Amino acid sequence: MPTFESLESVRAELPLLIWTPQSWAALAADNLGTFLADHAICEQQAAVFGLSLIGHYPDDADLVVEMGKLAAEEVSHLRRVASLLHRRGLAPSGKRGNPWVQALRKNMETNRSPMLKVDRLLVGALIEARSCERFTTLLEEITDRDPEVASLLADLGPAEKRHWQTFHRLAAREIDPERFAERWQRWLTIERDACAQGGVRPTVHG
Ligand SMILES: [Fe+2]
Ligand SMILES: [Fe+2]
């Protein structure tokens, strides 16, 4: 049986404004193959996103170090989920729409510096924070039903928690604290509204 922090204490340290309904966890638990296939793609995209930030900001040494570490971790997450899919004979997923991420992306600053960089990093923070919350929510649901998946999620939740904090810290260096707090609040509200539309598909952010 994996040991893990309770959902309540994980949520207490997340910045998010609303919580995933328990009905989503029941849906994902009943459709674990769909969840895991989507999860593998999320990890792949998280690694690519980290590397893409290094491509955008090669002169930012702090960011290059942190995103290099993050991308390596996301690749290790991808390998664990992909090997689980393979061992269980579950079909992997290809590229698919992620309405929650799309809702975030359409609110990003398109080209004005420094806000584009802040937004890219804050969207990264939200993706990590919500993933952490979803993994922990599902973990509580499946601990008895599927200890192997539970132990995977128990390892990944804390990593995603560190990741949202890294993205948030990197973003906060870019603008003055007051403007930053305002921008973060704006993003938390956008995420709340996008998340409120979800909870109805057995995917990581569905
Ligand atoms: Fe990950
Ligand atoms: Fe992550």
Side-chain angles (χ1 to χ4, degrees):
M1 199 66 73
T3 54
F4 59 89
E5 218 183 320
S6 75
L7 179 56
E8 200 182 22
S9 72
V10 169
R11 283 179 174 168
E13 289 188 72
L14 288 172
L16 303 169
L17 302 181
I18 58 168
W19 306 126
T20 297
Q22 206 54 38
S23 55
W24 170 83
L27 182 68
D30 289 341
N31 297 276
L32 216 46
T34 307
F35 174 85
L36 290 169
D38 180 68
H39 183 177
I41 301 297
C42 286
E43 298 293 359
Q44 179 257 324
Q45 289 176 332
V48 168
F49 181 60
L51 293 176
S52 80
L53 289 173
I54 293 179
H56 285 303
Y57 309 109
D59 296 337
D60 184 340
D62 188 3
L63 178 148
V64 170
V65 168
E66 293 294 346
M67 290 299 110
K69 281 196 289 193
L70 178 137
E73 267 195 275
E74 304 297 14
V75 168
S76 79
H77 297 172
L78 165 64
R79 292 178 67 190
R80 282 187 66 179
V81 184
S83 118
L84 191 64
L85 279 175
H86 188 70
R87 270 185 286 115
R88 294 189 175 194
L90 295 166
S93 164
K95 261 197 164 177
R96 79 287 178 254
N98 182 336
W100 175 81
V101 169
Q102 283 155 7
L104 298 183
R105 285 195 190 283
K106 74 170 191 246
N107 285 286
M108 278 182 60
E109 179 62 64
T110 46
N111 52 22
R112 260 182 312 153
S113 181
M115 212 47 111
L116 173 59
K117 186 177 184 183
V118 170
D119 281 358
R120 281 179 168 143
L121 290 164
L122 290 184
V123 166
L126 291 170
I127 291 172
E128 300 286 349
R130 182 58 71 189
S131 303
C132 172
E133 195 253 348
R134 286 286 175 102
F135 292 163
T136 316
T137 304
L138 178 57
L139 169 58
E140 288 221 334
E141 183 78 21
I142 59 160
T143 302
D144 299 328
R145 280 165 72 170
D146 196 325
E148 189 184 24
V149 173
S151 129
L152 171 79
L153 297 174
D155 290 347
L156 266 47
E160 313 311 2
K161 175 178 156 186
R162 267 190 288 109
H163 293 167
W164 88 256
Q165 292 166 338
T166 298
F167 277 115
H168 186 267
R169 179 185 73 75
L170 291 172
R173 304 165 311 160
E174 300 297 322
I175 49 178
D176 73 74
E178 202 176 318
R179 202 160 157 231
F180 178 73
E182 230 171 74
R183 195 69 177 176
W184 181 225
Q185 209 48 47
R186 170 187 176 273
W187 273 115
L188 289 171
T189 309
I190 291 167
E191 196 282 333
R192 178 197 65 201
D193 296 346
C195 186
Q197 307 295 312
V200 292
R201 294 194 307 151
T203 51
V204 175
H205 306 116

